Amino acid sequence: MIPELGHYALVLALFLALVQATLPLIGAARGDIAWMDVAKPAAIGQFTMILVSFLALTYAYVVSDFSVLNVVQNSHSMKPMLYKVAGVWGNHEGSMLLWVLILAMFGGAVALFGHNLPPTLKARVLSVQAMIGVAFLLFIIATSNPFIRVDPAPLDGTDLNPLLQDPGLAFHPPFLYFGYVGFSMAFSFAVAALIEGRVDPAWARWVRPWTLAAWSGLTMGIALGSWWAYYELGWGGWWFWDPVENASFMPWLAGTALLHSAIVVEKRDALKSWTILLAILTFTLSLIGTFLVRSGVLTSVHAFAVDPARGVFILALLVIATAGALLLYAIRAPSMKMGGLFAPISREGALVLNNLLLSTATATVFLGTLYPLFLDAIDAGKVSVGPPFFNATFIPLMVPLIAAMSVGPLLAWKRADLAGALSRLKFAAVLTVICVLGALYAYQGGPVMALLGVALAAWAFFGAIIELTDRIKLFRAPLAESWRRAVGLPRSSWGMTIAHAGMGVAIAGMTGSAAWMTERIQVMRPGDTAQIAGYELRFDQVEERPIANYQAKTGTFTLSRNGEFLATLHPEERWFPVSRMSTTEAAIRTNWVSDLYVVLGQEQQGGTGGYATRLYHHPLVPWIWIGCVIMMIGGCVSLSDRRFRIGVPARAKRDRQPTPQPAE
């Protein structure tokens, strides 16, 4: 009965989405307030129905209802509860239900909290958002129904892909979809603004919080996926420029450009046409990512290789949404006023440079990801595009971007003094040189690119700190005044500083792990020892034992340094008998400055008792994820700014005199 309730709720959500997509849009065109007001209850009702449907599917997984085909194919009665719940979105049908749930959640949030939006704009935004919902709800009901029954019901399921039975993968998709789908809100605001024919600073202020929320979620989603790939797959790396990784990275790059471009629209009423185009393209890249992982064109643990009909449906949706929005843009964009003029050396100029470099980087990743797939689709041969291509093309674009990241916030609007801004960064430059010399000393040299990476990381981090101290006049004014300035600083400024500093920390982690990683691969028997990066690892034993729904082969390694015991490490090889797959669980010992990483491989044939083992030492690698978390925190701090929550800056404090009472 519960699955049928979920199915009917999904159908009802489709009808509510159809109402929301049409009546408010017609009402806005006719100036009919009553019709425009339909958008709010329709959006809330649509979200409620999809939530009921999602909870119904979750219930089926929790109680192991094997009369539901989706549960049979992706769950098992012996699976831990966390992975039973994660199994809801660990498959195509359930993940699409999560997709539309987040889509409806953003629409419901605008309906509930968009009090400051003009009625016509709000009605059009919610209508465009509902049009996307209609398309995906039709897609789910027609081709990807998660509530199909199976009769007779089997006694047990076929289990979830073992690689997905991991805490990182349990939380990675919700954050990733929050970012993917969240950019639909920027798309809806852009299309609604084009329909109205008006883009102004108020529009940029309304669109920024939704873009910021999506960007923060996507940042965390990508970080969790990278972290999972690092410790679960046992290969010692954290990023491989895999097409599915790139599918999430492209909208992140475009979304970062959109956030910075919207600042220029809000502050200077400039770059309006470009910002609208970025909003359209950012969500288009999200749809491209959705198509890649669901069309069957990719083979990846992240991808849902399903029948081609589903891929064609999503491709058609992608073409219609993008072509329709771009056609509207082509018609309306020429009529948009240019806005304020500015000199090349200015805050606006720095943000334009930011956008140019980020857009070029996005295009580079797009070309490297899609070109091999395109050639393969037309039978023009197979081309392999991997890390060498992306490292050779993407990294050079990031060097000037990071270099300018610290300078831009110190420039004045409209026209600025570059020499003056650079002079305020002299302490950041000194600290950067110290960090480079420290890296040179600690690692006895190293590749030139590694030292450049350290320089960029230090420059970004200390530049963000110096910019903040400059704002509050630290050491240039009494501490009381600096404190007053710090307290009065907008949260968006704090968020920018935190996010930029987090980027510096993440760059340091990427540089250290790539340039100074040490690797050892050998066959070890119990009692053998191996040396790596000054550490000694003794292989003690291997123990086999049943755990939950898998068989674990656990190794025991004793870690020491200079004869002093440090830790006991337990890498595992897991065998899942239901799905007949094995996974590798690396043992990682971190001190938050570096990781020692141990992988237990296959037992060697011939009865020698030896096991293939892989040892890695990763300097600074924890900083990658620490930096990503800091960036997400920066986004959340910015999101709490009063201008984004209420639409106006904080009211200035004034000495209030008692209001005189009228004489009676």
Side-chain angles (χ1 to χ4, degrees), residues 54 58 85-92 94-95 98 169-171 173-174 177 304:
F54 185 81
T58 304
V85 175
V88 176
W89 53 78
N91 60 89
H92 169 75
S95 66
L98 178 63
L169 259 290
F171 299 104
Y177 289 175
F304 301 103

Side-chain angles (χ1 to χ4, degrees), residues 471 485-495 637 641 643:
R471 277 175 176 265
R485 286 176 173 271
V487 171
L489 206 62
R491 291 184 188 176
S492 58
S493 297
W494 281 102
V637 170
D641 194 295
R643 289 178 305 141

